[in-house]
């Protein structure tokens, strides 16, 4: 790894970090862990970032509360890219810097690129309104709850209630 660091960016251990140039990094509460986290939802040996020829991979070590990569629960090892976020309880760890090995993600389109014309790139996730984490594709697939969603649910419930009352009226006549 070259200049790649796992940095705690949210949670009780904010500011703690571990360099990936030393090989595998175990994350947890145990004193033996390379990246120690003081989070009650974190296991003693919670997760591990493994150095591979194609770049770092993150894997859960059988933790009770699970490990989340960009808000998706890790079921198996997964490649780790720059700016990816690993969530363990209330703690968020981010990969900062550039790991060794190829990075399979394509670079974002240049600013001002539109969908007009041949060969135009699609909009970046950060340009879609209501998205919190532009690096996570999961947010592009989940609707963000808002006033319109709540208003729609309230409207449907009211219509259903009126329909039941009308049906009851005609059935009792």
């Amino acid at each position: 790894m070259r200049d790649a660091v796992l940095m705690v960016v949210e949670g009780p251990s904010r500011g703690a970090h571990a360099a990936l140039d030393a090989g595998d990094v175990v994350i947890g509460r145990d004193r033996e862990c390379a990246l120690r986290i003081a989070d009650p939802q974190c296991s003693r040996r919670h997760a591990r970032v493994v150095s591979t020829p194609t770049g770092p991979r993150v894997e859960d070590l059988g933790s009770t509360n699970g490990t989340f990569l960009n808000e998706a629960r890790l079921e198996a090892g997964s490649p780790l890219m720059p700016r990816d976020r690993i969530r363990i309880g209330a703690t968020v760890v981010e990969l900062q810097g550039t790991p060794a090995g190829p990075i399979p993600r394509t670079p974002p389109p240049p600013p001002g690129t539109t969908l007009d014309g041949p060969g135009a790139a699609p909009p970046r996730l950060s340009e879609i309104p209501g998205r919190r984490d532009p690096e996570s594709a999961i947010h592009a697939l989940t609707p963000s709850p808002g006033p319109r969603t709540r208003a729609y649910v309230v409207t449907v419930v009211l219509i259903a209630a009126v329909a039941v009352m009308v049906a009851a009226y005609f059935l009792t006549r």
Side-chain angles (χ1 to χ4, degrees):
M1 305 288 148
R2 54 182 183 272
D3 302 326
V5 174
L6 289 172
M7 175 70 72
V8 179
V9 294
E10 293 178 24
S13 298
R14 186 177 184 155
H17 61 279
L20 291 180
D21 57 1
D24 296 355
V25 173
V26 178
I27 304 169
R29 290 183 295 126
D30 194 70
R31 288 184 177 160
E32 301 295 318
C33 293
L35 184 56
R36 290 183 60 196
I37 295 176
D39 190 318
Q41 295 179 346
C42 180
S43 301
R44 284 181 286 155
R45 291 177 46 85
H46 197 100
R48 173 175 49 211
V49 176
V50 181
S51 298
T52 69
T54 58
R57 292 182 62 79
V58 61
E59 54 191 38
D60 186 85
L61 296 176
S63 65
T64 304
N65 296 319
T67 303
F68 297 81
L69 177 61
N70 297 325
E71 296 306 318
R73 188 179 184 111
L74 269 179
E75 300 299 331
S78 180
L80 194 58
M81 304 298 161
R83 295 178 41 183
D84 275 350
R85 293 177 148 232
I86 303 166
R87 185 173 57 80
I88 298 171
T91 301
V92 177
V93 179
E94 184 177 280
L95 177 63
Q96 298 179 347
T98 306
I103 298 175
R105 290 192 184 152
T106 57
T113 303
T114 65
L115 291 176
D116 301 295
R124 286 185 265 171
L125 289 177
S126 61
E127 296 170 354
I128 300 173
R131 301 298 171 217
R132 297 176 305 203
D133 184 6
E135 292 296 319
S136 176
I138 193 75
H139 291 299
L141 302 176
T142 54
S144 56
R148 288 186 180 178
T149 305
R150 289 186 203 107
Y152 176 76
V153 170
V154 169
T155 303
V156 169
V157 169
L158 287 175
I159 290 172
V162 169
V164 168
M165 288 189 290
V166 169
Y169 174 77
F170 283 110
L171 289 175
T172 58
R173 272 182 95 191

